[in-house]
Amino acid sequence: MKILVIGSGGREHAIVSSVAKSKRVSEIYAAPGNAGIAELAQCVDISVMDFDKLVAFAKEKEIDLTIVGPDDPLVAGCVDAFEAAGLRVFGPRKNAAIIEGSKAFSKDLMKKYGIPTAAYENFDNADDALAYLEKADFPIVLKADGLALGKGVLICKDLEEAKAGVKEIMLDKHFGDAGNKMVIEEFMTGREVSVLAFCDGTTIKTMTSAQDHKRAKDGDQGLNTGGMGTFSPSPFYTEEIDAFCQEEIYKKTMAAMKAEGRDFVGVLFTGLMITEKGTKVLEFNARFGDPEAQVVLPRMKNDIIDVMEACIDGKLDTIDLQFEDNAAVCVVLASDGYPVSYEKGFPIKGLDTFKDKEDYYVFHAGTKLKEGEVVTNGGRVLGVTAKGKDLVTARANAYEATKWIDFDNKYMRNDIGKAIDEQ
Ligand code: AMP
Ligand code: GLY
């Protein structure tokens, strides 16, 4: 089979690595890809949002299956464009990707179908939001409705901060049109867990759990980022919690989307908060998480193409989804200064060390080839993943492997997965 993967981050490198393991695959293409993906796939310089060119490319190369990685093209209807051209494609259609594309939509869906989530109100103008805040409890959470590169969530400790937040989102439009509407929701405390699941519109099968570390600095200090590292599985996501979530969250969400005429086919990412009052949904995403994919996919035993085809064909119930009985930790190597400002273009040394090592992976997120050399080209540069028999071992292995890589400006957190030591 010929496969096209759309995207250029660590998530897409992890997807391409899994695709490359499939015996059914003969050629892999990536649009636009990155320097790491280029070792496994032929990269073609087409933007993830240029659907006409992507479709034309898939037709020209007679691609058998296209996999859409990032949220932006999914929410904008990339899958619909491929289907309209008669092409096979993995991911939710626009009318289902809205579960990520509009937080107001997903909150209303959860309310309507009794799926546990934080109490909330939706607003489409700043005056009403400000009036609501006058009577609210603090801290409180403000969320821009639309896609905002994972940055549209503000946790406000008092009324003054919340008022400034409404101005930022709805009046100053810091997140552009994503702030035309806003959700104000109850602040929850607890353990966060990410659970990714394959979906065929009717059946939902969860992958092994993971946890992301979103803040830039050790001890969960600093600004929110796209994710500074992950570990899998999460020891906090117990069998009991999983049993609850299967019935009360995942199956209900699948059924809710179907009842709304928005069958969800693809990967549903549920961000959970395990609180003292039970487990609740923080958010839904319509795709693999990044860097969650970098610890979940290396542990998956199935052929990823078999699973994705079963989703498209509505036959996911025939798949026995299996994960290795081990653990993985991913430490993101970033450019110092991320997520605010940073320099790029520094040569990266040590990538070859990973080549002959089983259970160690270096996924490229922000890299490019410059005169035959791999250089830094983003805030998050690489995801260094290692497996181990348990989380403590995987963590030690991952941090050892971070030493193999060197570039000017290299920055990482030193406490990815540290909470697991407390177990
Ligand atoms: P989201 O994009 O909705 O996942 O929000 C980004 C991050 O903000 C989450 O991973 C949480 O750490 C935090 N967050 C979002 N909603 C809440 C909430 N209701 N209570 C506490 N923290 C939250
Ligand atoms: N790591 C969080 C996300 O992919 O949205």
Side-chain angles (χ1 to χ4, degrees), residues 11 71 100 150 194 212-214 225-227 230 269 283 285 287-292 380:
R11 164 183 46 218
D71 41 358
E100 170 165 11
S194 305
D212 187 9
H213 294 262
K214 285 212 171 85
T225 70
T230 37
F269 168 136
E283 63 162 346
N285 293 320
R287 51 170 174 83
F288 282 102
D290 196 2
E292 283 87 343
R380 291 189 294 173

Side-chain angles (χ1 to χ4, degrees), residues 103 118 141 143 150 153 155 185-189 192 214 224 273 282-283:
K103 291 193 191 286
V141 185
K143 298 186 174 184
V153 174
I155 295 173
E185 79 175 24
E186 168 201 6
F187 176 75
M188 301 189 286
T189 49
E192 280 187 48
K214 285 212 171 85
N224 249 326
M273 182 79 96
L282 276 173
E283 63 162 346

Side-chain angles (χ1 to χ4, degrees), residues 6 28 34 41 62 97 200 225 230 234 256 260-261 264 279 301 324:
I6 296 177
I28 312 174
N34 63 33
E62 298 179 325
D200 71 359
T225 70
T230 37
S234 164
E260 296 289 315
F264 190 100
T279 301
K301 289 189 187 171
E324 293 168 2

Side-chain angles (χ1 to χ4, degrees), residues 8-9 34 228 332-346 348 364-368 374-382 407-411:
S8 63
N34 63 33
M228 294 301 292
V332 169
L333 303 185
S335 303
D336 198 10
Y338 171 73
V340 183
S341 63
Y342 47 83
E343 286 179 68
K344 342 188 247 196
F346 298 116
I348 304 173
H364 292 227
T367 66
K368 74 169 185 192
V374 181
V375 300
T376 65
N377 191 42
R380 291 189 294 173
V381 178
L382 300 167
F407 55 85
D408 284 358
N409 233 8
K410 173 178 150 187
Y411 171 81

Side-chain angles (χ1 to χ4, degrees), residues 70-125:
D71 41 358
D72 281 318
L74 288 167
V75 169
C78 186
V79 166
D80 308 59
F82 273 73
E83 284 183 349
L87 294 165
R88 233 164 129 70
V89 57
F90 177 80
R93 293 181 186 144
K94 183 176 181 173
N95 75 350
I98 190 175
I99 199 164
E100 170 165 11
S102 167
K103 291 193 191 286
F105 169 87
S106 75
K107 294 297 289 190
D108 285 347
L109 184 86
M110 288 188 269
K111 186 191 261 179
K112 182 169 172 188
Y113 292 91
I115 298 162
T117 188
Y120 76 102
E121 290 286 337
N122 293 337
F123 296 92
D124 57 14
N125 74 76

Side-chain angles (χ1 to χ4, degrees), residues 171-227:
L171 300 175
D172 299 346
K173 292 276 160 79
H174 257 206
F175 310 105
D177 285 345
N180 289 349
K181 283 197 228 165
M182 194 176 79
V183 177
I184 301 187
E185 79 175 24
E186 168 201 6
F187 176 75
M188 301 189 286
T189 49
R191 279 276 166 199
E192 280 187 48
V193 182
S194 305
V195 178
L196 314 182
F198 287 104
C199 308
D200 71 359
T202 306
T203 301
I204 177 162
K205 291 210 171 182
T206 51
M207 301 177 224
T208 179
S209 63
Q211 187 184 318
D212 187 9
H213 294 262
K214 285 212 171 85
R215 299 291 189 127
K217 300 205 168 128
D218 284 15
D220 287 334
Q221 303 296 309
L223 295 171
N224 249 326
T225 70

